[in-house]
Amino acid sequence: MRIRSADFDTSATDISTCPPPGLPEFTFIGRSNVGKSSLLNLLTGRKGLAKVSARPGHTQLINFFTINEQWRLVDLPGYGYARVSKAAQEKFADLITGFLLKRTVLTRVFVLIDSRHEPHRIDLEFVSWLAGCGVPYVLVFTKVDKLKPNAVTKNIGLFAAALKDDWNTDMPEVFRCSSETGAGRAELLAFIGSQI
Ligand code: GTP
Ligand code: MG
C-alpha cells in the first residue's frame, strides 16, 4: 500500500469526544514507551505526525489519523506506566477498555510488545483480556533493531508459551518491526490493505 495522505484528525479525552465512527480503524496499544507513536510515524512515512517522547506516558489522549482518506490509525495511551497516580492509571484503563469494547469501527488492534524483554505480566494479562472479549488483534514486536534476530525469536517464543500455558490463549498473527530500520513496515501495510 502506498501512503498518499496522512492527516491528524483529533484528540479525544473520552469516548464521547471520539469522532463519529466512519472509516475502518486500526488501533495501536501497548505499554508506555513501547514505540507506538514511532511506529505510527514509520507506517505513514510522516516523521512528526505522532509525538515521540523520551519520557514515557507521553500520549494521554486517543489520537486519530486518517490515511489515504480510506482508513484510520488510532494511537491509544500506553498502559502500565507506574509513575502516574493510581487514579490517573485507572482513568486510562477505563478509557482504553471502553474504547476497545465500544468502538464499532475497530477493525484490528495492534498490541505492541517490546521485543527486548521477556514477557511482562501486564502484556500477557492485556492480551488474554482482549482474546477473552473477542476483540480482533495481532501482536507487533517492536525495536527489533536492538537485538539479534535469534533473541527476538526467543522472546516471541516465551510470549507464546506463557499465553498458552498460563492464560489458555492461542498465539495470534505476529509482526516484527523497527522504527529505526523500517523492518516490518511493508508487512504491516500489506496486512492493513488486506483488511480494508
Ligand atoms: P508513550 O506515548 O509515552 O506511551 O510512548 P510510545 O509507545 O508512543 O513510544 P514512542 O514512539 O514515543 O517511543 C519511545 C522511545 O523509544 C523513543 O525514545 C523512541 O525513539 C524509541 N523507539 C521507538 N521505536 C523504536 C525502535 O524501533 N527502535 C529503537 N531503537 N528505538 C525506538
Ligand atoms: Mg506515544
Side-chain angles (χ1 to χ4, degrees), residues 16 61 88 169:
S16 68
L61 299 162
T169 297

Side-chain angles (χ1 to χ4, degrees), residues 7 20 29 36 46 51 62 64 77 81 87 113 133 139 157 172 194:
D7 303 300
I29 179 114
K36 295 177 292 298
R46 310 287 194 277
K51 278 205 185 113
I62 304 178
F64 292 83
Y81 179 51
I113 314 256
C133 297
L139 298 183
S194 74

Side-chain angles (χ1 to χ4, degrees), residues 26-43 59 73-80 100 108-117 119-120 122-124 126-127 130 137-144 156 159 172-179 188 192:
F26 297 85
T27 298
F28 284 15
I29 179 114
R31 262 185 306 131
S32 197
N33 213 40
V34 70
K36 295 177 292 298
S37 300
S38 303
L39 187 62
L40 201 145
N41 290 340
L42 173 78
L43 282 190
T59 311
L73 272 176
V74 184
D75 193 12
L76 285 178
Y79 55 74
L100 293 175
R108 192 70 65 142
V109 177
F110 295 123
V111 182
L112 275 61
I113 314 256
D114 194 326
S115 68
R116 295 175 299 174
H117 308 305
H120 270 265
I122 188 163
D123 289 328
L124 292 163
F126 181 72
V127 167
L130 271 184
Y137 72 99
V138 298
L139 298 183
V140 178
F141 286 86
T142 63
K143 308 192 185 184
V144 298
I156 294 175
F159 200 91
E173 201 163 335
V174 166
F175 295 89
R176 302 168 178 232
C177 292
S178 165
S179 302
L188 272 180
I192 292 170

Side-chain angles (χ1 to χ4, degrees), residues 17 40 46 64 83 91-92 138 145 160 163 168 170 177:
T17 53
L40 201 145
R46 310 287 194 277
F64 292 83
R83 253 183 282 173
K91 193 172 148 256
F92 286 169
V138 298
D145 58 284
L163 269 186
N168 214 12
D170 289 332
C177 292

